[in-house]
Amino acid sequence: MKGSLLYEGKAKKVYHVDGEPNQLILSYKNDATAFNGKKKDRFEGKGRLNNLITSKVFEYLKQNQISSHFIEALNDTEQLVEKTTIIPLEVVVRNVAAGSITRRLGIQEKQPFEPPLVELFYKDDELGDPIINDEHAYHLTGISEEELSQIKQMALKVNSQLLQLFKVAKLKLVDFKLEFGRLEDGTIVLADEISPDTCRLWDLDTGEKMDKDVFRESLGDLISVYETILQRLEENTCAK
Ligand code: ADP
Ligand code: TMP
Ligand code: ASP
């Protein structure tokens, strides 16, 4: 079923599916990178955790009428998805100040954003994924004003849904990054992954960082933190 390798990225390998030209298999690796690949390590079990967490999150979003590329988890480290042409944007939603916005704009960590902020970054490793405005996005990606507005609305809807999902798991959703892609007929759907690699999650009670910042800032054991996220999601989604 798994066909040839289409692409190898920093965190996943992407495979064709034999006989299914409109599907892909995403295979989650154990590698962790930060600061555009400048910091690197491998963590046994990370690929499994991110695959299972992303699968749970996309299943939950599907139940809540968010259209995405996700079809099903195939095994511990791989998932089947609809093939898309990725729009080279990283769409970041922020509920609370953390990470690059604190350095870029001098905003204190933990300051809340009400309503949440949506930021666009141009997905280009060589340029270091620079922040861009709407006009840059039209020019660089060819999306229309209407499509960008649709993407931002979807990102905010995903935020509302995920705030609830993570709150039940006793986690504060600080911020996260989304990617969108086009299906063959041009429809825009949510793609890529939603995991502690792509979200900031803080423990609701203690404020402890429970995401890839543990690796970025060398705060502790990444795998036990990701295990806790998966466990909390499993405990809280089986009843749904
Ligand atoms: P990166 O390319 O940033 O190093 P990954 O290692 O996660 O990231 O690689 C996975 C690649 O697969 C990303 O470039 C992502 O945009 C792409 N991708 C995710 N979902 C889909 C999809 N449904 N169709 C096509 N490409 C996808
Ligand atoms: P930032 O504060 O570094 O801009 O990150 C915002 C959010 O986006 C955070 O939840 C981490 C996520 N993110 C990615 O998923 N991939 C990236 O390459 C970067 C820089 C951030
Ligand atoms: N995803 C980026 C990298 O792999 C940056 C990050 O997540 O901090 O380097």
Side-chain angles (χ1 to χ4, degrees), residues 22 44 71 88 101 123 141 182 191-192 217 219 240:
N22 292 326
E44 198 55 45
I71 302 173
I101 198 166
K123 188 173 151 59
T141 71
R182 279 181 202 282
D192 204 48
E217 300 172 16
L219 299 176
K240 285 203 168 84

Side-chain angles (χ1 to χ4, degrees), residues 90 92 94 98-100 129 175-177 197-200 216:
E90 301 206 337
V92 169
R94 299 185 190 271
S100 68
D129 299 341
D175 59 30
F176 58 94
K177 181 267 301 180
D197 267 17
T198 65
C199 299
R200 279 196 178 89
R216 292 190 189 97

Side-chain angles (χ1 to χ4, degrees), residues 11-71:
K12 300 190 280 299
K13 290 183 183 173
V14 182
Y15 292 92
H16 291 287
V17 180
D18 287 339
E20 295 287 355
N22 292 326
Q23 297 182 354
L24 293 172
I25 290 173
L26 299 185
S27 176
Y28 283 69
K29 307 197 295 183
N30 286 334
D31 302 74
T33 67
F35 314 116
N36 204 13
K38 285 186 205 103
K39 181 170 178 173
K40 280 189 205 160
D41 211 335
R42 278 176 65 79
F43 296 92
E44 198 55 45
K46 174 174 178 282
R48 169 183 168 271
L49 289 164
N50 275 349
N51 177 46
L52 298 182
I53 293 168
T54 294
S55 297
K56 281 231 155 281
V57 171
F58 274 88
E59 271 159 17
Y60 166 84
L61 291 175
K62 189 189 245 176
Q63 286 166 17
N64 287 282
Q65 285 74 51
I66 305 275
S67 43
S68 81
H69 71 161
F70 184 76
I71 302 173

Side-chain angles (χ1 to χ4, degrees), residues 7 9-12 14 24 69 81-82 84 86 123 179 192:
Y7 170 80
K10 296 186 289 295
K12 300 190 280 299
V14 182
L24 293 172
H69 71 161
V81 301
E82 305 281 358
T84 72
I86 292 288
K123 188 173 151 59
E179 292 185 25
D192 204 48

